[in-house]
Amino acid sequence: MATSKTAAVLQGKKVVVIGGTSGLGFAAASALIEEGVSVIIASSSADRVTAAITKLSDPAQQYNADASRVSGHALNLKGPTAEENLKEFFSKVGSFDHLLYTAGDSIAAKPLQEWSYEDIVNAGSVRFISAVLAIKVATGSPDYLKRNGGSIVLTTGVVAEKPLPNWSVVASYASGLYGLTRNLALDLAPLGIRINAISPGPVETELWAGIPEKERKEFLKATGDKLMTGKVGQPEDVANAYVYLLKDKNMTAQVVTSDAGSSVADRQ
Ligand SMILES: NC(=O)c1ccc[n+]([C@@H]2O[C@H](COP(=O)([O-])OP(=O)(O)OC[C@H]3O[C@@H](n4cnc5c(N)ncnc54)[C@H](OP(=O)(O)O)[C@@H]3O)[C@@H](O)[C@H]2O)c1
């Protein structure tokens, strides 16, 4: 009997999703469970990890749900203890096939004159510095991310390509993730590990939860009106891009953009 060359290639794989409790990471974890993958999610809050595991294991909310394929751990990626926390996390996880990194905290865009040294470091702590450290720890031992077939997907954003007023510091980290992806692809190639990144445009996730509801709805509507698709992205749409990058063994050193066309032009 023929075996699947595309539809079921991730079945039985073990994928770690750092930032898997909400937004893009949660949607990617959900899509992977649909594909028959075992997922291990992580975020800074033990309560949010438990809540996400409950949702991802519930047949009423999750297609192809199977509680035995969902687990998770609390992992704080902010500040100088991040590397120690990552070592402890990966020692609990053990061997796995792929790593998705979607963790990022919300940051207020503001004029350059208002950024202090601490603000600049803080803005990059979770989304950039700890992404580097996660890859360092995960690939530092053959007991963690599998070699000769393993892969990594990072998360950047279209602000790296299309400037927004007062987003210069965030844009710097987003651009840094492009360079990191391309250079690490070269560095990790001898281990047989691929690395790519997703660059989303505006997506309706919990990232925007800090904005009061009425203002948030108006912001998402106004943002969507300017997009070629007429609306901001949904996390489950972008989740397909993460799944694709795990499946395509010919892809490395690339950034895949899922942005409703926003990096190319605004809707006219
Ligand atoms: N949504 C968009 O429009 C958009 C557009 C372009 C780029 N991006 C980027 O995509 C990434 C994911 O965004 P999202 O929209 O999915 O955001 P989200 O829904 O807020 O998810 C962020 C994830 O990161 C985790 N996280 C935050 N701080 C953490 C910490 N200190 N330690 C460990 N985990 C932490 C969160 O969990 P806990 O809070 O429980 O720790 C959550 O699981 C971010 O880097 C964001 O900048 C998003």
Side-chain angles (χ1 to χ4, degrees), residues 40 93 108 146 175 177 187 202 232 262:
I40 302 100
V93 170
K146 281 188 192 156
S175 310
L177 285 159
D187 292 340
V232 296
S262 62

Side-chain angles (χ1 to χ4, degrees), residues 236-258:
E236 52 273 23
D237 296 326
V238 184
N240 288 299
Y242 288 91
V243 173
Y244 160 67
L245 285 175
L246 299 192
K247 282 185 171 180
D248 185 346
K249 298 188 189 73
N250 199 39
M251 282 289 270
T252 194
Q254 299 300 326
V255 179
V256 168
T257 301
S258 173

Side-chain angles (χ1 to χ4, degrees), residues 1-245:
M1 193 157 104
T3 53
S4 169
K5 294 188 184 73
T6 53
V9 292
L10 293 177
Q11 209 157 35
K13 300 288 184 198
K14 201 168 154 185
V15 179
V16 171
V17 187
I18 296 183
T21 56
S22 75
L24 300 172
F26 180 84
S30 173
L32 288 166
I33 292 165
E34 292 196 7
E35 298 266 340
V37 165
S38 292
V39 298
I40 302 100
I41 58 170
S43 89
S44 67
S45 153
D47 286 350
R48 280 195 284 275
V49 170
T50 304
I53 291 174
T54 303
K55 277 201 249 173
L56 292 168
S57 305
D58 177 5
Q61 301 183 66
Q62 171 65 49
Y63 172 78
N64 205 13
D66 172 356
S68 72
R69 290 194 280 112
V70 190
S71 60
H73 305 284
L75 165 64
N76 187 11
L77 296 161
K78 190 125 188 157
T81 60
E83 187 168 1
E84 280 316 304
N85 299 346
L86 280 157
K87 284 181 184 163
E88 193 187 327
F89 169 72
F90 284 117
S91 73
K92 287 186 212 151
V93 170
S95 174
F96 61 99
D97 298 282
H98 302 283
L99 171 64
L100 304 190
Y101 194 98
T102 63
D105 44 1
S106 57
I107 16 167
K110 54 184 181 180
L112 181 62
Q113 297 308 324
E114 293 175 22
W115 285 90
S116 66
Y117 176 86
E118 284 76 18
D119 290 345
I120 297 167
V121 172
N122 270 334
S125 177
V126 178
R127 60 181 36 75
F128 184 83
I129 300 170
S130 288
V132 181
L133 294 172
I135 297 167
K136 174 185 169 185
V137 179
T139 61
S141 160
D143 296 339
Y144 298 154
L145 181 59
K146 281 188 192 156
R147 297 177 176 181
N148 301 314
S151 82
I152 300 163
V153 185
L154 297 177
T155 307
T156 175
V158 286
V159 73
E161 292 172 72
K162 188 183 187 192
L164 287 169
N166 297 327
W167 278 72
S168 295
V169 171
V170 186
S172 308
Y173 286 115
S175 310
L177 285 159
Y178 268 65
L180 182 68
T181 301
R182 293 159 66 91
N183 217 103
L184 273 178
L186 187 67
D187 292 340
L188 297 175
L191 300 179
I193 294 171
R194 298 182 293 112
I195 175 164
N196 296 289
I198 302 293
S199 182
V203 183
E204 189 172 358
T205 68
E206 291 83 338
L207 192 70
W208 309 107
I211 309 173
E213 191 181 349
K214 185 170 173 287
E215 234 179 280
R216 183 171 70 241
K217 280 192 175 149
E218 285 165 4
F219 161 75
L220 291 171
K221 167 84 174 64
T223 304
D225 285 348
K226 287 191 216 137
L227 299 170
M228 290 195 205
T229 56
K231 53 182 192 280
V232 296
Q234 292 303 306
E236 52 273 23
D237 296 326
V238 184
N240 288 299
Y242 288 91
V243 173
Y244 160 67
L245 285 175

